[in-house]
Structure formats: C-alpha cells, structure tokens
Amino acid sequence: MNMLEIKNLHASVEGKDILKGINLKINAGEVHAIMGPNGSGKSTLSNVLAGREDYTITEGSVTFGGKDLLQLPAEIRACEGIFLSFQYPVEIPGVSNMVFLKAAINAKRKHQGQPEIEAVDFLAWVKDRVKKMSMDIKMLQRGVNEGFSGGEKKRNEILQMLLLEPKLMILDETDSGLDIDALKIVAEGINTMRSPERATLLVTHYQRLLDYVKPDFVHVLAGGRIIKSGGPELARELEEKGYGWLDAA
Amino acid sequence: MLNNITTALEALPALPAPRRAALDALLKQGLPGKKDEDWRHTDLSILDQLSAADIAPSALNHDYPSAYEDGLDALNTALSGGTQTRTLEGKVELDTGLHQRLKLKVSGDVELVLQDITPSRFATFFAEIEVAPNSRLRLLRVQQADSQAQRLTNLKILLARDAQLDAVTVDLGGRFVRNDLYVHLNEPGAGVQLYGLYAPTGSEHVDNHSWIHHRAPHCSSREFFRGVVSGSARAVFNGKIFVHEKAIKTDSETRVANLLLSKTAEVYAKPELEIYNDDVKCAHGATFGQLDEDAVYYLRARGLDRDMARALLTQAFAQEIIEHISNDELREKITQRFLSRLPQGNTSGKA
C-alpha cells in the first residue's frame, strides 16, 4: 500500500533553492535509504516532511496516507504517524524525559480520540523500552537530552520512536556520532519496529548503518534531486567509489 | 497629592498625635519620584488613583518611631498604626493584604509565609526581621493579588553570626507592585539564598529591588531571579550587592534571567556590585530572551501543539525557581497559578 508519495518537490530556505524536484514513493513495509554528500538536501527533505516551518515549498506535493501532508502542522503530522529522529536532538533543561514522553504519547492518544494513558501502565511500558535501548532508568528524571552525549541523544530518539510507534520513521543521520556498540543498539531498535504496516526512510551520508538495517531501496540525492535509485548493492558501490562518479553519470 | 491618604486617616475614629506626626512627615517629605535612581521605572503617582476608601488604614494604634527614614516609611507608619513587635517560632503566616509594620525576632528554625489573606486594593507591608546567631529563617513571600491591587512591601532582614536566610519570592499578580528587600549579613558566617520569580502579564507592573550588604567576613549570598513577562506588562529587577571594607572572603553571586513572551512586554533588569575590599569572589549576570524556537519545533515534531510546547518550555524556565519552594501544597498551587496566567492558558503536560 502506498504510504508516502512525493511529487516534484521544490523547497527553498531564505530564497535559496535546496530541493529541486524530488520524486519518491514509499510503500508500507519498505525501507528506503537516501544517501548523498553534504549539502545535497538530505536534512532539508527530512525536515520538510516533518513540518519545520523554516522552509518554503515552491512546487510539488506530498501525500501521506492519502492526505495532503504539506497542509498539516508539524504536531498533526506527528500524531498521524510521522516520526523524525533528529540529526541534532534539542536539549530542553527543566522538562524531564518522563513529562515529555507522557505529553507526547497523550497528544497522540488525544488526536486518535483515546483517553490519557494510565500512569502505572505507562511507567512499566517506558521502563521496558528504556532497558531495550540500554539506557539508565534515571534518565527519565533528567531534562530532555540535558547533558546527554551524542550517542545518548540518538538512543533517546529511538526510545521515543519505540514509544510513539509511528507509521513512517524518518531517521536523519542517526548513525553519525555513534560508536559501534551504540550503533548496534540503535539499529536493533529500528529493526524491532520494522513491520508490514510501517515504512522507514534512512537518511545517511555513510553506508555504515545500512550494514545493520538492510534497505530495500537506495536513492542518491545530489544537488536537490534524486539522481540514481537502486537496490542495496548501490550503497556498497557508493561506499567504494564515493559520490564523484555519479556526477559524470 | 496624597489627599486620599489624608482623607482616609482623618476619617478614623481617633488620630493620636504621633500618628498625625507620621502623616505630617509623609506630606512634608513626599514620596520618591522618577528622578530618584531607585524609582526610575516605577512611578508612585499611581497611588493617587486610589480612592480614600481603597486606602483602608488600620484602626489600631501601636508604637510610633520618633523619626522617619523617608516618605514611604512615614506612609507605612501612618497607615499601619505603628510598629508591632513579635517573636516568631515554628511555622508562621502573616497577612500582606493589610497595612502592617512589624518588628520580628527569629531564633531557632522558623518557616515564615507572607501572603495576602485579606483581599484588598492597597496594602503596605513593612517588616524588620532579626535572625539570631545560628538560626535559620525560611521565608516564602507569595504575591498573587488581583489585577487592580497595589502593593508596597519592604523587608529588612538582619542576620547575626552563622544565621541563614533561605528565601523564595513569587510575584504572580497585582496592578502595581514594588518589593524592597534589604539583607544585612552583619556577622561572620551568615548566608542568604534568595530565589525570586516574577511573571507579570496584562498591564501589571512588578518591581523587585534588593540590597544585600556584606558587612562581615566569610558571608555568602546567592540571588537568582527569573522573570516571565507577557502582554504589555512591565517588570523591573535591581539587585545590588554591597561588599563593605571589613567583609573579606565574601562569596556572592547574582543572576537574573528574563523570558519575554510578547513584543509589548518590557523588562528592566540590572544586577549591581559595589565592592570595598579585594579579597572577594563576586559574580553577576543578566540575560533576556525569547523561547527557543528549535525546542518548540522539537516538541511539535513529537505531537505537542504550539501552545502546549510553549507552556511546557515556559514552565520549565520558571521551575528553576518554583522548585525551591519546600511546601508541596503551595508549590503545586503556585505552579498552577503561574500556568493559568500564561497567554496560551493552562495546557501543561503534567507529570
């Protein structure tokens, strides 16, 4: 089933064109990887899908589950099942992870017309997922990402993803700044979530994460366009040859 | 000027000579004006808007001093009927909704809550508190008067050897509010920790002035204020630390941080230092800013709507002060009051 359809998407920031005609279809159950050099528009694409308002959409359309995604504010997209794992998760001192996670889960439940989650159920559920991500349970009392290392922040993103159970998982450079152990934990978290109802968009510069999370499709983004698409073998080719050879192609 | 005060006092059943003298001193000295540096942003002429009935002076008479420091001192004496002296023990609550002039003595461990019990349009609350050696005063002043109310408070706290003051002050209301706080660290080992939150909204005006005097060696002071200013409200903060010549090994820090939630909100915040010896450690700083838009986006990307995201971040900012209130019930009430006054209303993500 078609989940996300991006058609001829153009986006600019402060008058500068970043995305110059993206076309991409993602079906439920599929894992797509978008690879590309720095400055190719990878993070812009992730944030445009998540609803960041710093970008101007100049042309094109995006539908998600049949709805016009670009008309929805960021929080509705989240409640409808889009999850962006941030490249640089924000530190929010004074708001504990516990308060934050509960607010996020209840926002989604409210959107779906469900009652707020029971405190006891919530705690047990969160604790289980925290362990799964090999995180210290004490983190729940700490401020959101406050004083977290780069690896801890990325694990916290995946923890939120496990709890919010999105339909479309967009992972923006989730592998950057991770040592090999943290990378395995993060990859395992992503793989746990793979299901025929969910889709994944891995946005990455390196092939490293793709050794652990096997994509069905690989796309190369350069200069704001997808210039090549293929299977998993394309990632390996990129790792060996770099991005230079594609310019000529 | 001040006709309303005169009328209100002359309407009392009796006006003894020393109380009449207080009124005369007020009329002679007048109130501080905008040329006075400490009153640059706070205009006392607003007192003229009160009717004689709003003034509501106390009908009681107590002890009267022979001289007055200034017009405000005389004003408070005339309205309160002079000084009452009390020794405080254990937990005490005093009413800041009435004109009062108090001389309080603290020894041992005392918990003092100052808040409005009597709702009133206008009140002047002046207190001098002596804290005995090795004693601890835990003070909570909560001001949540209605949007018409005018409040003048003046607290002078004198700390003896190894005495400690742990104070939290919260201003969540009032049309016109001026709080003066003097702390005198008079003997070695005395210390003060002061946390303050002011959050005026609408057309409220809240001014917190403080003077912390280090008069003896080995004293410490910590002063942390946070302001959340919205609507067309105006907040003033002035925190001055004096380190006197004898006060070597002084350890002092003053920080004030402000969050402006609207374009029409105003804040004047100034920490000041005046130091007369060079064996001290003093730090101070002031910041002003808006909500972190990256944090708002992050929360929205997790499903919280914009108002909720803003409320959560604003609450987190104020929490740094509110969390120092040791009384659980009051802390919860103050948190709710704080949230209910935010422009987007009460939409917190409760724990």
mmCIF file of all heavy atoms in Angstrom, chain A residues 47 50 52-53 73-75 78 83-84 86 92-95 99-100 104 107 145 157 160, chain B residues 292 294-295 297-306 308 312-313 316 319-320 349-351:
data_model
loop_
_atom_site.group_PDB
_atom_site.id
_atom_site.type_symbol
_atom_site.label_atom_id
_atom_site.label_comp_id
_atom_site.label_asym_id
_atom_site.label_seq_id
_atom_site.Cartn_x
_atom_site.Cartn_y
_atom_site.Cartn_z
ATOM 1 N N ASN A 47 13.307 17.422 7.206
ATOM 2 C CA ASN A 47 12.581 18.450 7.968
ATOM 3 C C ASN A 47 11.336 18.961 7.239
ATOM 4 O O ASN A 47 10.353 19.317 7.888
ATOM 5 C CB ASN A 47 13.516 19.604 8.328
ATOM 6 C CG ASN A 47 14.379 19.262 9.538
ATOM 7 O OD1 ASN A 47 13.864 19.108 10.641
ATOM 8 N ND2 ASN A 47 15.674 19.095 9.320
ATOM 9 N N ALA A 50 8.772 16.506 8.087
ATOM 10 C CA ALA A 50 8.338 16.572 9.485
ATOM 11 C C ALA A 50 7.553 17.847 9.788
ATOM 12 O O ALA A 50 6.865 17.919 10.794
ATOM 13 C CB ALA A 50 9.544 16.470 10.410
ATOM 14 N N ARG A 52 8.891 21.317 9.578
ATOM 15 C CA ARG A 52 9.601 22.514 10.034
ATOM 16 C C ARG A 52 9.196 23.690 9.160
ATOM 17 O O ARG A 52 9.087 23.559 7.942
ATOM 18 C CB ARG A 52 11.115 22.297 9.965
ATOM 19 C CG ARG A 52 11.869 23.429 10.621
ATOM 20 C CD ARG A 52 13.350 23.153 10.814
ATOM 21 N NE ARG A 52 13.874 24.170 11.706
ATOM 22 C CZ ARG A 52 14.461 23.933 12.854
ATOM 23 N NH1 ARG A 52 14.654 22.705 13.246
ATOM 24 N NH2 ARG A 52 14.875 24.919 13.610
ATOM 25 N N GLU A 53 8.971 24.837 9.789
ATOM 26 C CA GLU A 53 8.396 25.964 9.045
ATOM 27 C C GLU A 53 9.424 26.930 8.463
ATOM 28 O O GLU A 53 9.068 27.954 7.901
ATOM 29 C CB GLU A 53 7.406 26.711 9.956
ATOM 30 C CG GLU A 53 6.124 25.903 10.132
ATOM 31 C CD GLU A 53 5.321 26.291 11.363
ATOM 32 O OE1 GLU A 53 5.673 27.295 12.007
ATOM 33 O OE2 GLU A 53 4.355 25.581 11.678
ATOM 34 N N PRO A 73 0.154 20.995 10.155
ATOM 35 C CA PRO A 73 1.236 21.459 11.019
ATOM 36 C C PRO A 73 2.030 20.283 11.577
ATOM 37 O O PRO A 73 1.537 19.146 11.588
ATOM 38 C CB PRO A 73 0.505 22.203 12.144
ATOM 39 C CG PRO A 73 -0.877 21.672 12.156
ATOM 40 C CD PRO A 73 -1.174 21.205 10.751
ATOM 41 N N ALA A 74 3.233 20.570 12.020
ATOM 42 C CA ALA A 74 4.163 19.521 12.457
ATOM 43 C C ALA A 74 3.528 18.567 13.467
ATOM 44 O O ALA A 74 3.697 17.344 13.378
ATOM 45 C CB ALA A 74 5.418 20.163 13.059
ATOM 46 N N GLU A 75 2.770 19.137 14.443
ATOM 47 C CA GLU A 75 2.254 18.275 15.512
ATOM 48 C C GLU A 75 1.193 17.304 15.001
ATOM 49 O O GLU A 75 1.094 16.174 15.491
ATOM 50 C CB GLU A 75 1.717 19.107 16.683
ATOM 51 C CG GLU A 75 0.585 20.075 16.350
ATOM 52 C CD GLU A 75 1.088 21.461 15.961
ATOM 53 O OE1 GLU A 75 2.233 21.564 15.459
ATOM 54 O OE2 GLU A 75 0.333 22.435 16.156
ATOM 55 N N ALA A 78 2.947 14.471 13.300
ATOM 56 C CA ALA A 78 3.463 13.535 14.312
ATOM 57 C C ALA A 78 2.339 12.627 14.804
ATOM 58 O O ALA A 78 2.512 11.404 14.895
ATOM 59 C CB ALA A 78 4.084 14.302 15.476
ATOM 60 N N PHE A 83 7.421 10.218 12.188
ATOM 61 C CA PHE A 83 8.402 10.429 13.256
ATOM 62 C C PHE A 83 9.745 10.778 12.641
ATOM 63 O O PHE A 83 10.269 10.043 11.810
ATOM 64 C CB PHE A 83 8.553 9.165 14.109
ATOM 65 C CG PHE A 83 9.518 9.332 15.255
ATOM 66 C CD1 PHE A 83 9.060 9.710 16.512
ATOM 67 C CD2 PHE A 83 10.892 9.146 15.079
ATOM 68 C CE1 PHE A 83 9.948 9.891 17.570
ATOM 69 C CE2 PHE A 83 11.779 9.329 16.131
ATOM 70 C CZ PHE A 83 11.303 9.698 17.375
ATOM 71 N N LEU A 84 10.287 11.917 13.045
ATOM 72 C CA LEU A 84 11.640 12.288 12.600
ATOM 73 C C LEU A 84 12.602 12.090 13.758
ATOM 74 O O LEU A 84 12.455 12.702 14.818
ATOM 75 C CB LEU A 84 11.669 13.760 12.149
ATOM 76 C CG LEU A 84 13.069 14.349 11.888
ATOM 77 C CD1 LEU A 84 13.773 13.625 10.737
ATOM 78 C CD2 LEU A 84 12.985 15.851 11.600
ATOM 79 N N PHE A 86 15.868 13.190 15.009
ATOM 80 C CA PHE A 86 16.643 14.388 14.662
ATOM 81 C C PHE A 86 18.138 14.102 14.514
ATOM 82 O O PHE A 86 18.705 13.300 15.257
ATOM 83 C CB PHE A 86 16.468 15.460 15.760
ATOM 84 C CG PHE A 86 15.185 16.235 15.660
ATOM 85 C CD1 PHE A 86 13.960 15.594 15.699
ATOM 86 C CD2 PHE A 86 15.206 17.625 15.533
ATOM 87 C CE1 PHE A 86 12.766 16.317 15.615
ATOM 88 C CE2 PHE A 86 14.032 18.350 15.449
ATOM 89 C CZ PHE A 86 12.807 17.701 15.486
ATOM 90 N N ILE A 92 16.474 20.212 26.327
ATOM 91 C CA ILE A 92 15.429 21.017 26.964
ATOM 92 C C ILE A 92 15.539 20.898 28.482
ATOM 93 O O ILE A 92 14.858 20.080 29.100
ATOM 94 C CB ILE A 92 14.022 20.602 26.477
ATOM 95 C CG1 ILE A 92 13.985 20.508 24.952
ATOM 96 C CG2 ILE A 92 12.983 21.592 26.983
ATOM 97 C CD1 ILE A 92 12.646 20.116 24.381
ATOM 98 N N PRO A 93 16.394 21.700 29.100
ATOM 99 C CA PRO A 93 16.531 21.632 30.552
ATOM 100 C C PRO A 93 15.224 22.017 31.225
ATOM 101 O O PRO A 93 14.503 22.880 30.736
ATOM 102 C CB PRO A 93 17.613 22.673 30.877
ATOM 103 C CG PRO A 93 18.164 23.133 29.576
ATOM 104 C CD PRO A 93 17.186 22.775 28.504
ATOM 105 N N GLY A 94 14.904 21.365 32.318
ATOM 106 C CA GLY A 94 13.708 21.731 33.074
ATOM 107 C C GLY A 94 12.473 20.942 32.686
ATOM 108 O O GLY A 94 11.493 20.927 33.413
ATOM 109 N N VAL A 95 12.501 20.296 31.509
ATOM 110 C CA VAL A 95 11.392 19.406 31.131
ATOM 111 C C VAL A 95 11.941 17.983 31.202
ATOM 112 O O VAL A 95 12.816 17.625 30.426
ATOM 113 C CB VAL A 95 10.889 19.689 29.696
ATOM 114 C CG1 VAL A 95 9.801 18.702 29.317
ATOM 115 C CG2 VAL A 95 10.388 21.113 29.571
ATOM 116 N N VAL A 99 8.056 13.606 31.744
ATOM 117 C CA VAL A 99 6.960 14.541 31.427
ATOM 118 C C VAL A 99 6.815 14.661 29.907
ATOM 119 O O VAL A 99 5.713 14.635 29.361
ATOM 120 C CB VAL A 99 7.245 15.928 32.053
ATOM 121 C CG1 VAL A 99 6.324 16.995 31.475
ATOM 122 C CG2 VAL A 99 7.089 15.855 33.576
ATOM 123 N N PHE A 100 7.944 14.761 29.244
ATOM 124 C CA PHE A 100 7.971 14.914 27.789
ATOM 125 C C PHE A 100 7.356 13.698 27.087
ATOM 126 O O PHE A 100 6.475 13.835 26.221
ATOM 127 C CB PHE A 100 9.427 15.132 27.364
ATOM 128 C CG PHE A 100 9.702 14.989 25.905
ATOM 129 C CD1 PHE A 100 9.077 15.801 24.975
ATOM 130 C CD2 PHE A 100 10.609 14.047 25.447
ATOM 131 C CE1 PHE A 100 9.345 15.678 23.621
ATOM 132 C CE2 PHE A 100 10.890 13.916 24.102
ATOM 133 C CZ PHE A 100 10.247 14.725 23.184
ATOM 134 N N ALA A 104 3.885 13.572 24.932
ATOM 135 C CA ALA A 104 3.898 13.182 23.518
ATOM 136 C C ALA A 104 2.909 12.035 23.272
ATOM 137 O O ALA A 104 2.132 12.070 22.312
ATOM 138 C CB ALA A 104 5.317 12.778 23.107
ATOM 139 N N ALA A 107 -0.640 13.317 23.627
ATOM 140 C CA ALA A 107 -1.036 14.164 22.494
ATOM 141 C C ALA A 107 -1.527 13.284 21.348
ATOM 142 O O ALA A 107 -2.557 13.557 20.718
ATOM 143 C CB ALA A 107 0.138 15.031 22.048
ATOM 144 N N ASN A 145 17.331 15.286 26.961
ATOM 145 C CA ASN A 145 18.660 15.355 26.324
ATOM 146 C C ASN A 145 19.674 16.219 27.077
ATOM 147 O O ASN A 145 20.758 16.493 26.561
ATOM 148 C CB ASN A 145 18.550 15.860 24.873
ATOM 149 C CG ASN A 145 17.800 14.899 23.985
ATOM 150 O OD1 ASN A 145 17.970 13.693 24.109
ATOM 151 N ND2 ASN A 145 16.957 15.414 23.110
ATOM 152 N N GLU A 157 16.299 9.312 20.887
ATOM 153 C CA GLU A 157 15.408 9.460 19.734
ATOM 154 C C GLU A 157 14.716 8.135 19.424
ATOM 155 O O GLU A 157 13.510 8.087 19.181
ATOM 156 C CB GLU A 157 16.201 9.926 18.498
ATOM 157 C CG GLU A 157 16.806 11.322 18.596
ATOM 158 C CD GLU A 157 15.755 12.407 18.666
ATOM 159 O OE1 GLU A 157 15.123 12.712 17.650
ATOM 160 O OE2 GLU A 157 15.565 12.950 19.779
ATOM 161 N N GLN A 160 12.034 7.244 21.904
ATOM 162 C CA GLN A 160 10.780 7.956 21.621
ATOM 163 C C GLN A 160 10.031 7.275 20.475
ATOM 164 O O GLN A 160 8.804 7.160 20.483
ATOM 165 C CB GLN A 160 11.068 9.422 21.259
ATOM 166 C CG GLN A 160 11.609 10.242 22.429
ATOM 167 C CD GLN A 160 12.263 11.524 21.976
ATOM 168 O OE1 GLN A 160 11.806 12.180 21.049
ATOM 169 N NE2 GLN A 160 13.350 11.889 22.621
ATOM 170 N N ASP B 292 13.051 29.252 22.973
ATOM 171 C CA ASP B 292 13.919 28.613 21.990
ATOM 172 C C ASP B 292 13.049 27.941 20.912
ATOM 173 O O ASP B 292 12.380 26.946 21.178
ATOM 174 C CB ASP B 292 14.787 27.582 22.725
ATOM 175 C CG ASP B 292 15.672 26.778 21.797
ATOM 176 O OD1 ASP B 292 15.608 27.003 20.559
ATOM 177 O OD2 ASP B 292 16.414 25.925 22.293
ATOM 178 N N ASP B 294 13.850 26.233 18.323
ATOM 179 C CA ASP B 294 14.264 24.866 17.993
ATOM 180 C C ASP B 294 13.602 23.871 18.951
ATOM 181 O O ASP B 294 13.205 22.777 18.553
ATOM 182 C CB ASP B 294 15.787 24.715 18.084
ATOM 183 C CG ASP B 294 16.490 25.351 16.900
ATOM 184 O OD1 ASP B 294 15.826 25.562 15.853
ATOM 185 O OD2 ASP B 294 17.683 25.654 17.012
ATOM 186 N N ALA B 295 13.512 24.287 20.219
ATOM 187 C CA ALA B 295 12.875 23.410 21.220
ATOM 188 C C ALA B 295 11.374 23.304 20.952
ATOM 189 O O ALA B 295 10.789 22.230 21.088
ATOM 190 C CB ALA B 295 13.141 23.925 22.625
ATOM 191 N N TYR B 297 9.922 23.494 18.032
ATOM 192 C CA TYR B 297 9.777 22.585 16.874
ATOM 193 C C TYR B 297 9.974 21.126 17.299
ATOM 194 O O TYR B 297 9.218 20.241 16.891
ATOM 195 C CB TYR B 297 10.776 22.981 15.789
ATOM 196 C CG TYR B 297 10.896 21.967 14.657
ATOM 197 C CD1 TYR B 297 9.781 21.568 13.926
ATOM 198 C CD2 TYR B 297 12.139 21.419 14.322
ATOM 199 C CE1 TYR B 297 9.894 20.644 12.900
ATOM 200 C CE2 TYR B 297 12.258 20.495 13.295
ATOM 201 C CZ TYR B 297 11.140 20.107 12.586
ATOM 202 O OH TYR B 297 11.256 19.192 11.577
ATOM 203 N N TYR B 298 10.970 20.907 18.131
ATOM 204 C CA TYR B 298 11.250 19.535 18.595
ATOM 205 C C TYR B 298 10.020 18.948 19.290
ATOM 206 O O TYR B 298 9.618 17.818 19.029
ATOM 207 C CB TYR B 298 12.451 19.569 19.548
ATOM 208 C CG TYR B 298 12.978 18.213 19.960
ATOM 209 C CD1 TYR B 298 13.634 17.394 19.046
ATOM 210 C CD2 TYR B 298 12.847 17.748 21.267
ATOM 211 C CE1 TYR B 298 14.140 16.156 19.415
ATOM 212 C CE2 TYR B 298 13.347 16.507 21.659
ATOM 213 C CZ TYR B 298 13.998 15.723 20.729
ATOM 214 O OH TYR B 298 14.491 14.497 21.101
ATOM 215 N N LEU B 299 9.403 19.744 20.163
ATOM 216 C CA LEU B 299 8.214 19.263 20.878
ATOM 217 C C LEU B 299 7.042 19.061 19.925
ATOM 218 O O LEU B 299 6.284 18.093 20.047
ATOM 219 C CB LEU B 299 7.832 20.246 21.996
ATOM 220 C CG LEU B 299 8.842 20.361 23.149
ATOM 221 C CD1 LEU B 299 8.455 21.480 24.100
ATOM 222 C CD2 LEU B 299 8.949 19.040 23.905
ATOM 223 N N ARG B 300 6.903 19.967 18.960
ATOM 224 C CA ARG B 300 5.809 19.828 17.987
ATOM 225 C C ARG B 300 6.009 18.578 17.133
ATOM 226 O O ARG B 300 5.049 17.894 16.782
ATOM 227 C CB ARG B 300 5.712 21.074 17.099
ATOM 228 C CG ARG B 300 5.227 22.312 17.876
ATOM 229 C CD ARG B 300 5.165 23.511 16.967
ATOM 230 N NE ARG B 300 4.140 23.335 15.947
ATOM 231 C CZ ARG B 300 4.137 23.966 14.785
ATOM 232 N NH1 ARG B 300 5.113 24.823 14.487
ATOM 233 N NH2 ARG B 300 3.175 23.748 13.917
ATOM 234 N N ALA B 301 7.274 18.295 16.796
ATOM 235 C CA ALA B 301 7.561 17.101 15.998
ATOM 236 C C ALA B 301 7.254 15.818 16.766
ATOM 237 O O ALA B 301 7.253 14.733 16.213
ATOM 238 C CB ALA B 301 9.019 17.095 15.538
ATOM 239 N N ARG B 302 6.977 15.967 18.081
ATOM 240 C CA ARG B 302 6.571 14.801 18.880
ATOM 241 C C ARG B 302 5.081 14.856 19.205
ATOM 242 O O ARG B 302 4.602 14.129 20.073
ATOM 243 C CB ARG B 302 7.397 14.749 20.180
ATOM 244 C CG ARG B 302 8.888 14.506 19.959
ATOM 245 C CD ARG B 302 9.166 13.146 19.317
ATOM 246 N NE ARG B 302 10.584 12.959 19.043
ATOM 247 C CZ ARG B 302 11.135 13.091 17.836
ATOM 248 N NH1 ARG B 302 10.379 13.405 16.787
ATOM 249 N NH2 ARG B 302 12.428 12.917 17.669
ATOM 250 N N GLY B 303 4.361 15.795 18.574
ATOM 251 C CA GLY B 303 2.905 15.781 18.674
ATOM 252 C C GLY B 303 2.298 16.838 19.579
ATOM 253 O O GLY B 303 1.081 16.977 19.641
ATOM 254 N N LEU B 304 3.123 17.603 20.322
ATOM 255 C CA LEU B 304 2.568 18.651 21.188
ATOM 256 C C LEU B 304 2.229 19.865 20.335
ATOM 257 O O LEU B 304 3.043 20.274 19.508
ATOM 258 C CB LEU B 304 3.581 19.057 22.267
ATOM 259 C CG LEU B 304 3.729 18.119 23.469
ATOM 260 C CD1 LEU B 304 4.372 16.789 23.069
ATOM 261 C CD2 LEU B 304 4.576 18.788 24.541
ATOM 262 N N ASP B 305 1.034 20.449 20.535
ATOM 263 C CA ASP B 305 0.734 21.622 19.717
ATOM 264 C C ASP B 305 1.544 22.823 20.206
ATOM 265 O O ASP B 305 2.184 22.774 21.256
ATOM 266 C CB ASP B 305 -0.770 21.912 19.651
ATOM 267 C CG ASP B 305 -1.362 22.320 20.986
ATOM 268 O OD1 ASP B 305 -0.681 22.994 21.771
ATOM 269 O OD2 ASP B 305 -2.526 21.960 21.242
ATOM 270 N N ARG B 306 1.512 23.890 19.435
ATOM 271 C CA ARG B 306 2.392 25.024 19.682
ATOM 272 C C ARG B 306 2.170 25.627 21.085
ATOM 273 O O ARG B 306 3.129 25.894 21.813
ATOM 274 C CB ARG B 306 2.184 26.104 18.612
ATOM 275 C CG ARG B 306 3.197 27.229 18.668
ATOM 276 C CD ARG B 306 2.797 28.388 17.768
ATOM 277 N NE ARG B 306 2.682 27.994 16.371
ATOM 278 C CZ ARG B 306 3.698 28.020 15.512
ATOM 279 N NH1 ARG B 306 4.868 28.420 15.896
ATOM 280 N NH2 ARG B 306 3.511 27.657 14.262
ATOM 281 N N MET B 308 0.969 24.212 23.738
ATOM 282 C CA MET B 308 1.409 23.284 24.769
ATOM 283 C C MET B 308 2.937 23.269 24.858
ATOM 284 O O MET B 308 3.511 23.242 25.954
ATOM 285 C CB MET B 308 0.890 21.893 24.428
ATOM 286 C CG MET B 308 0.953 20.955 25.585
ATOM 287 S SD MET B 308 -0.020 19.497 25.224
ATOM 288 C CE MET B 308 0.512 18.482 26.585
ATOM 289 N N LEU B 312 4.993 24.377 28.149
ATOM 290 C CA LEU B 312 5.923 23.433 28.789
ATOM 291 C C LEU B 312 7.309 24.072 28.953
ATOM 292 O O LEU B 312 7.939 23.957 30.002
ATOM 293 C CB LEU B 312 6.005 22.164 27.927
ATOM 294 C CG LEU B 312 6.525 20.896 28.592
ATOM 295 C CD1 LEU B 312 5.718 20.535 29.824
ATOM 296 C CD2 LEU B 312 6.492 19.732 27.601
ATOM 297 N N LEU B 313 7.750 24.778 27.914
ATOM 298 C CA LEU B 313 9.073 25.415 27.974
ATOM 299 C C LEU B 313 9.086 26.584 28.961
ATOM 300 O O LEU B 313 10.071 26.792 29.671
ATOM 301 C CB LEU B 313 9.494 25.898 26.582
ATOM 302 C CG LEU B 313 9.730 24.787 25.560
ATOM 303 C CD1 LEU B 313 9.914 25.369 24.166
ATOM 304 C CD2 LEU B 313 10.929 23.930 25.945
ATOM 305 N N ALA B 316 9.140 25.180 32.413
ATOM 306 C CA ALA B 316 10.481 24.675 32.732
ATOM 307 C C ALA B 316 11.398 25.820 33.173
ATOM 308 O O ALA B 316 12.184 25.688 34.106
ATOM 309 C CB ALA B 316 11.073 23.961 31.519
ATOM 310 N N GLN B 319 10.348 26.822 36.611
ATOM 311 C CA GLN B 319 10.527 25.715 37.547
ATOM 312 C C GLN B 319 11.829 25.836 38.332
ATOM 313 O O GLN B 319 11.893 25.440 39.489
ATOM 314 C CB GLN B 319 10.506 24.397 36.744
ATOM 315 C CG GLN B 319 10.077 23.181 37.530
ATOM 316 C CD GLN B 319 8.709 23.339 38.143
ATOM 317 O OE1 GLN B 319 7.816 23.905 37.534
ATOM 318 N NE2 GLN B 319 8.542 22.877 39.362
ATOM 319 N N GLU B 320 12.830 26.405 37.708
ATOM 320 C CA GLU B 320 14.139 26.568 38.358
ATOM 321 C C GLU B 320 14.024 27.374 39.650
ATOM 322 O O GLU B 320 14.848 27.251 40.539
ATOM 323 C CB GLU B 320 15.118 27.264 37.408
ATOM 324 C CG GLU B 320 15.282 26.574 36.076
ATOM 325 C CD GLU B 320 16.458 25.627 36.040
ATOM 326 O OE1 GLU B 320 17.532 26.009 36.526
ATOM 327 O OE2 GLU B 320 16.288 24.490 35.535
ATOM 328 N N GLY B 349 1.859 19.787 30.313
ATOM 329 C CA GLY B 349 1.939 18.334 30.318
ATOM 330 C C GLY B 349 2.279 17.920 31.732
ATOM 331 O O GLY B 349 3.417 17.976 32.132
ATOM 332 N N LYS B 350 1.267 17.555 32.466
ATOM 333 C CA LYS B 350 1.524 17.247 33.884
ATOM 334 C C LYS B 350 2.239 15.928 34.042
ATOM 335 O O LYS B 350 2.039 15.002 33.277
ATOM 336 C CB LYS B 350 0.193 17.227 34.655
ATOM 337 C CG LYS B 350 -0.137 18.602 35.206
ATOM 338 C CD LYS B 350 -1.296 18.519 36.186
ATOM 339 C CE LYS B 350 -2.618 18.678 35.476
ATOM 340 N NZ LYS B 350 -3.738 18.436 36.348
ATOM 341 N N ALA B 351 3.079 15.844 35.088
ATOM 342 C CA ALA B 351 3.866 14.629 35.299
ATOM 343 C C ALA B 351 2.981 13.503 35.823
ATOM 344 O O ALA B 351 1.955 13.745 36.397
ATOM 345 C CB ALA B 351 4.971 14.898 36.300
#
